[in-house]
Amino acid sequence: MPLKNGAEQSDASGSMPKSQRTKIIKSSDDSEKKNLAKKIKDTEICVPIVYGNIAFWLGKKASEYQSHKWTVYVRGSTNEDLGVVVKRAVFQLHSSFNNPTRIIDSPPFELSESGWGEFEIAITLHFHSDVSDKPLHLFHHLKLYPEDESGPLSTKKPVVVESYDEVVISEPSEALFARLQHHPAIIVPRLPAGFTLPPVPIEDLENRNRGGTKDHNPLNQWFSKFSEADELLRLAAAREQVQGHIARLRRQLSLIDGQQQQQLKTASDM
């Protein structure tokens, strides 16, 4: 799965986000080669996903080895159910945990634990067979403490660190396109006028209409918003910050240059 560059990561401290774009290409077996005519050529389906963690300090209930309760997750960018494309999520925790390999077979793809230390969590997404037969490997560094370590810890405001990614499905089958085209978590292109897709099986419609975590997850209020407008605002803020930094450096360089010239003039007058 080749990765395309990007930059979008969000955390509670407001630091610049990080993103990437992951293209998945389903390998063809003999049965698929017979059905190549059913592939939609030069077409890509985009599945925006967000993965990260939210951590709550336990306050007076905190102990030396149980200071935070945290949840690590993979979700749709606007909190929709990803079960339409993701079959299973595997979270690999630190070896000090009991049963460090946690398998989640249905949405929401998340798990909660408690502890005191930060570490890297490997996340493996397994897709439904018509999406991809290759898993997607993600890595997230569990964050428990805010960036501003000098500030007081709060039991009311959690630490949230998330990364945005886009899973790109190249040349989907007509059946897959039909199954995904009206799902709120999926971005699909327009097909040519008159293009006819096969009917969607009843069970797929029921699964799609069942919804997901968008309106039922109590953590939603803390999740970062990854929209085009938000991204533009973040980019504008970052650009303004960089321009201010450049202006300060120019003033410092001008001051240094003036001091050097004054020293040279003084030396020449002696």
Side-chain angles (χ1 to χ4, degrees), residues 20 98 259:
Q20 52 191 23
N98 292 327
Q259 291 174 344

Side-chain angles (χ1 to χ4, degrees), residues 8-43:
E8 186 158 12
Q9 185 184 54
S10 177
D11 62 30
S13 65
S15 60
M16 278 306 294
K18 140 184 131 167
S19 77
Q20 52 191 23
R21 187 172 169 86
T22 306
K23 180 174 289 189
I24 59 175
I25 303 174
K26 192 177 187 320
S27 61
S28 298
D29 56 23
D30 291 340
S31 62
E32 288 179 322
K33 291 177 182 177
K34 297 176 182 177
N35 295 324
L36 283 178
K38 296 184 179 181
K39 296 284 187 181
I40 305 178
K41 298 292 184 181
D42 303 319
T43 299

Side-chain angles (χ1 to χ4, degrees), residues 190-242:
R190 283 188 179 181
L191 294 177
F195 194 101
T196 303
L197 293 170
V200 179
I202 296 296
E203 59 270 22
D204 287 339
L205 284 174
E206 291 176 349
N207 289 336
R208 185 171 67 192
N209 294 332
R210 185 177 56 192
T213 60
K214 184 169 185 177
D215 300 318
H216 310 291
N217 193 328
L219 302 179
N220 283 355
Q221 61 178 312
W222 305 110
F223 288 158
S224 305
K225 295 180 180 180
F226 290 89
S227 68
E228 186 175 352
D230 292 329
E231 185 174 355
L232 289 173
L233 287 174
R234 281 193 294 268
L235 289 173
R239 187 179 299 112
E240 184 176 349
Q241 188 176 19
V242 169

Side-chain angles (χ1 to χ4, degrees), residues 7 20 30 51-52 60 71 79 83 95 101 110 130 133 135 161 196-197 199 208 223 235-236 260:
Q20 52 191 23
D30 291 340
Y51 58 97
K60 294 181 179 180
T71 300
N79 305 328
S95 58
T101 302
E110 63 182 40
D130 58 348
D133 50 9
V161 179
T196 303
L197 293 170
R208 185 171 67 192
F223 288 158
L235 289 173
Q260 289 178 339

Side-chain angles (χ1 to χ4, degrees), residues 44-173:
E44 290 183 343
I45 294 176
C46 178
V47 185
I49 66 171
V50 174
Y51 58 97
N53 79 266
I54 181 169
F56 290 88
W57 181 52
L58 296 178
K60 294 181 179 180
K61 297 180 180 179
S63 64
E64 182 179 1
Y65 298 108
Q66 301 288 327
S67 62
H68 289 76
K69 182 175 177 59
W70 52 264
T71 300
V72 61
Y73 49 83
V74 180
R75 64 180 179 85
S77 61
T78 51
N79 305 328
E80 282 88 359
D81 181 2
L82 290 176
V84 67
V85 292
V86 177
K87 181 180 181 180
R88 178 182 302 114
V90 180
F91 297 88
Q92 186 65 45
L93 306 183
H94 191 271
S95 58
S96 61
F97 283 84
N98 292 327
N99 183 24
T101 302
R102 309 290 178 87
I103 301 174
I104 310 298
D105 286 317
S106 61
F109 297 107
E110 63 182 40
L111 72 89
S112 297
E113 265 291 356
S114 58
W116 60 272
E118 299 179 344
F119 57 92
E120 185 175 70
I121 299 176
I123 306 170
T124 303
L125 299 183
H126 297 269
F127 301 96
H128 292 293
S129 58
D130 58 348
V131 176
S132 177
D133 50 9
K134 295 182 179 180
L136 173 62
H137 301 286
L138 305 169
F139 297 92
H140 172 72
H141 187 80
L142 178 67
K143 188 75 173 172
L144 304 182
Y145 300 93
E147 290 295 328
D148 184 10
E149 298 180 355
S150 62
L153 294 175
S154 171
T155 58
K156 296 182 179 180
K157 184 178 180 181
V159 171
V160 182
V161 179
E162 298 186 314
S163 295
Y164 175 93
D165 199 343
E166 292 177 354
V167 178
V168 180
I169 306 170
S170 297
E171 298 190 346
S173 67

